[in-house]
Amino acid sequence: MSVIKFINENKKEYIRISNKIWQYAELSQKEVKSARLQMDVLSTKGFKIKKSRDCQNAFIAEYGNGKPVIGLLGEYDALPGLGQEKKPFKKPIKGKESGHGCGHNLLGTGAMFAAVAVKEAIKEGRFSGTIRYYGCPAEETITGKIIMVKEGLFNDVDICLTWHPDCYNSINLGGTQAMNSFKLIFKGIASHAAGDPFNGRSALDAVELTDIGSNYLREHIIKDASLHYVITKGGIMPNIVPDLAEVWYFVRAPGREAVEEIYERVLNIARGAALMTDTSLEIKLITGCYNFLNNDVLNKMLWDIMEKIELEKFTQKDKDFAREMASNFNRGQREEALYISHLDDGSYKYLENRYLCDTMIPPYGAGINYPGSTDLGDVSWIVPAAKFITACFPLGVSPHSWQVTASSGMHIGHAGMILAAKILALSCIRLFRNRNIINAAKDEFKQKTKKKKYKSPIGSLY
Ligand SMILES: [Zn+2]
């Protein structure tokens, strides 16, 4: 049976699985039920399951024998504050704080579905090799795959493929940003803020001076880098000089070297702030990641499959849902989404009377990093990797929003997930049958990484 036929005939089962994970909506590192469900399903389909030693709720499911080993990566963590009913207008679910605002219920299930379809083809003896599904937790905190890479779970895989829900069907040829996430914790001395301020040493002052310093620093770092912070502890009452304050930073840049350089400069600012305020400083690195390294050979193969594939059809109900959702967007939101995606000029025309992406959009964004970060970056520095996007929410929807939660739980998201499963399954078959593509992808990978040896950004953490 062809993988397309297998996916068409079995889609209901996987839509049910994705809906269950949508309902669980478990946050990073708490994906116990979601991972359990995937492991149970894959185990009944004949996959051998191996749980990760170091990363909770991470696992590998494998079928077949010997080389090549093709890995499909799935995620299943949700986001806080984005619980939402399957409605085109904002309606949080009572008592449900978290939601799949990045569509990872679709991401994980779609990749798993493809792995099962490929397993059927191996079982029929159509080719030999090993299909491996990676259950990857904690993507939103950018920790899951970093720990899995450090554990060595990607050391013996030949190629890794994955996808992500989006507004479009396409391939983003740009990378993602390398990043460090860290907390700066200042400790001072509490005292009466009015009666005895001279005996106090304000930890909050140190945080504020650090932030002021960092805001000045922005002018003197490369344009492609960015800094964000939130003050996570800032004292208890105005009449007590705060003896504890904490600020949480992200530093992002196009590569690890730039991240590490800017990180060190922010730390120096914090050290200076501690000196100015006579407080002590503790630096707590939480996580870090690499930029995503594209592989042209794999992207070319993906696009060759994608431009010929028959798209899943959106129903009239989907189209009405998308139109209603768009009626509540900010002014210009749909156009800005096109702009951010670096799609060609004139593509605004694409939005005329169209609320869902119902075509395949040619690859875009070469040489331009997406401003966000993902732990997939680290995998791409260990093994040749590629990713693509399919339309799982209406045009103009912002990632990490209630609109994504709503769309990921209904047919719009399911259609994108089925399409992704088909593209992944066809890609695996192409790779199993054409070792020359695997070899060419590996040659390109070696060329791109020969001067840069991967070093885990989390050091001895975890
Ligand atoms: Zn995501």
Side-chain angles (χ1 to χ4, degrees):
M1 189 193 293
S2 80
V3 285
I4 298 291
K5 192 158 180 267
F6 179 85
I7 291 171
N8 282 335
E9 286 181 5
N10 291 278
K11 56 177 124 179
K12 277 199 183 128
E13 181 184 353
Y14 292 86
I15 287 172
R16 265 200 305 273
I17 294 166
S18 98
N19 281 344
K20 269 196 181 166
I21 296 174
W22 187 89
Q23 274 167 355
Y24 296 155
E26 294 167 299
L27 297 177
S28 298
Q29 281 149 328
K30 294 191 174 134
E31 316 90 332
V32 178
K33 286 195 272 183
S34 307
R36 182 79 265 157
L37 174 62
Q38 290 210 340
M39 283 191 277
D40 286 348
V41 170
L42 287 161
S43 167
T44 57
K45 307 286 181 199
F47 282 74
K48 222 167 47 213
I49 312 284
K50 186 181 133 192
K51 281 191 182 179
S52 158
R53 182 194 62 210
D54 298 337
C55 184
Q56 50 183 341
N57 309 324
F59 69 95
I60 285 176
E62 200 173 272
Y63 185 90
N65 282 303
K67 287 275 186 182
V69 181
I70 309 297
L72 295 178
L73 276 52
E75 298 163 9
Y76 29 76
D77 56 335
L79 285 159
L82 295 178
Q84 159 73 25
E85 288 191 10
K86 301 170 187 179
K87 297 268 191 284
F89 47 85
K90 189 166 182 186
K91 191 159 194 287
I93 299 176
K94 269 206 180 98
K96 186 90 194 161
E97 209 257 332
S98 57
H100 271 288
C102 205
H104 291 184
N105 61 311
L106 304 169
L107 201 176
T109 312
M112 179 176 100
F113 194 4
V116 176
V118 174
K119 171 234 138 181
E120 289 299 319
I122 295 177
K123 198 173 155 199
E124 285 172 10
R126 290 165 56 194
F127 42 80
S128 64
T130 305
I131 182 73
R132 186 184 282 173
Y133 172 78
Y134 285 89
C136 308
E139 192 283 330
E140 297 298 354
T141 50
I142 315 204
T143 44
K145 296 183 203 71
I146 316 288
I147 304 171
M148 292 167 80
V149 165
K150 203 175 144 198
E151 190 182 333
L153 298 182
F154 294 92
N155 289 354
D156 63 340
V157 61
D158 291 293
I159 302 285
C160 278
L161 300 175
T162 191
W163 72 290
H164 202 288
D166 208 292
C167 300
Y168 311 101
N169 303 305
S170 190
I171 303 173
N172 183 343
L173 299 174
T176 53
Q177 296 281 79
M179 187 268 268
N180 266 8
S181 163
F182 56 101
K183 283 185 176 172
L184 302 168
I185 303 147
F186 293 93
K187 287 188 183 131
I189 300 168
S191 68
H192 194 295
D196 193 25
F198 28 84
N199 277 319
R201 299 289 181 270
S202 171
L204 179 61
D205 287 358
V207 161
E208 290 189 87
L209 288 164
T210 300
D211 294 344
I212 290 166
S214 299
N215 286 327
Y216 275 94
L217 176 70
R218 288 179 203 276
E219 173 74 359
H220 305 287
I221 55 176
I222 52 170
K223 288 230 167 354
D224 294 333
S226 60
L227 302 172
H228 342 282
Y229 60 78
V230 284
I231 296 175
T232 37
K233 284 180 191 146
I236 304 159
M237 281 179 80
N239 61 353
I240 308 171
V241 171
D243 61 351
L244 176 68
E246 179 185 275
V247 59
W248 184 6
Y249 268 82
F250 279 12
V251 169
R252 303 189 208 250
R256 279 308 304 167
E257 295 86 349
V259 164
E260 273 157 29
E261 192 250 343
I262 296 164
Y263 173 59
E264 198 48 48
R265 287 166 78 188
V266 174
L267 296 188
N268 274 340
I269 289 169
R271 289 176 186 122
L275 202 58
M276 281 190 273
T277 52
D278 201 11
T279 56
S280 67
L281 166 68
E282 184 194 337
I283 298 156
K284 201 168 151 197
L285 179 68
I286 295 169
T287 190
C289 71
Y290 271 64
N291 53 311
F292 184 81
L293 192 64
N294 266 291
N295 189 288
D296 298 337
V297 171
L298 295 178
N299 282 337
K300 211 165 141 256
M301 176 201 72
L302 279 176
W303 179 243
D304 190 53
I305 289 164
M306 288 168 78
E307 71 173 339
K308 292 179 192 129
I309 203 163
E310 193 185 332
L311 299 184
E312 299 301 297
K313 300 256 181 312
F314 290 118
T315 62
Q316 191 53 48
K317 227 166 123 190
D318 294 340
K319 289 176 192 166
D320 294 344
F321 183 98
R323 189 184 300 111
E324 189 177 343
M325 190 174 262
S327 69
N328 294 314
F329 283 170
N330 297 328
R331 198 152 58 92
Q333 182 168 335
R334 279 157 45 84
E335 290 75 8
E336 275 164 22
L338 281 179
Y339 170 76
I340 288 164
S341 299
H342 303 284
L343 292 171
D344 282 348
D345 285 354
S347 56
Y348 286 6
K349 261 193 109 42
Y350 191 79
L351 297 173
E352 277 175 20
N353 297 316
R354 192 187 251 124
Y355 296 90
L356 288 164
C357 175
D358 53 2
T359 60
M360 212 27 107
I361 293 179
Y364 64 94
I368 308 162
N369 266 11
Y370 171 75
S373 313
T374 165
D375 58 4
L376 192 58
D378 291 57
V379 177
S380 75
W381 282 83
I382 294 293
V383 54
K387 58 181 169 51
F388 62 90
I389 51 176
T390 67
C392 294
F393 27 93
L395 288 161
V397 162
S398 169
H400 292 194
S401 65
W402 64 261
Q403 287 94 335
V404 174
T405 309
S407 313
S408 299
M410 49 84 71
H411 184 255
I412 296 175
H414 300 151
M417 176 182 85
I418 302 299
L419 177 61
K422 289 179 178 176
I423 297 166
L424 286 174
L426 289 174
S427 303
C428 289
I429 288 180
R430 177 92 46 110
L431 289 168
F432 278 118
R433 289 204 169 130
N434 298 277
R435 308 282 167 106
N436 57 327
I437 303 178
I438 297 177
N439 292 337
K442 285 186 168 183
D443 286 346
E444 181 186 336
F445 173 81
K446 271 189 209 137
Q447 195 61 27
K448 284 182 169 165
T449 55
K450 73 176 175 198
K451 288 198 187 108
K452 294 174 180 176
K453 203 172 152 26
Y454 176 83
K455 192 170 141 252
S456 178
I458 52 174
S460 57
L461 287 175
Y462 301 101

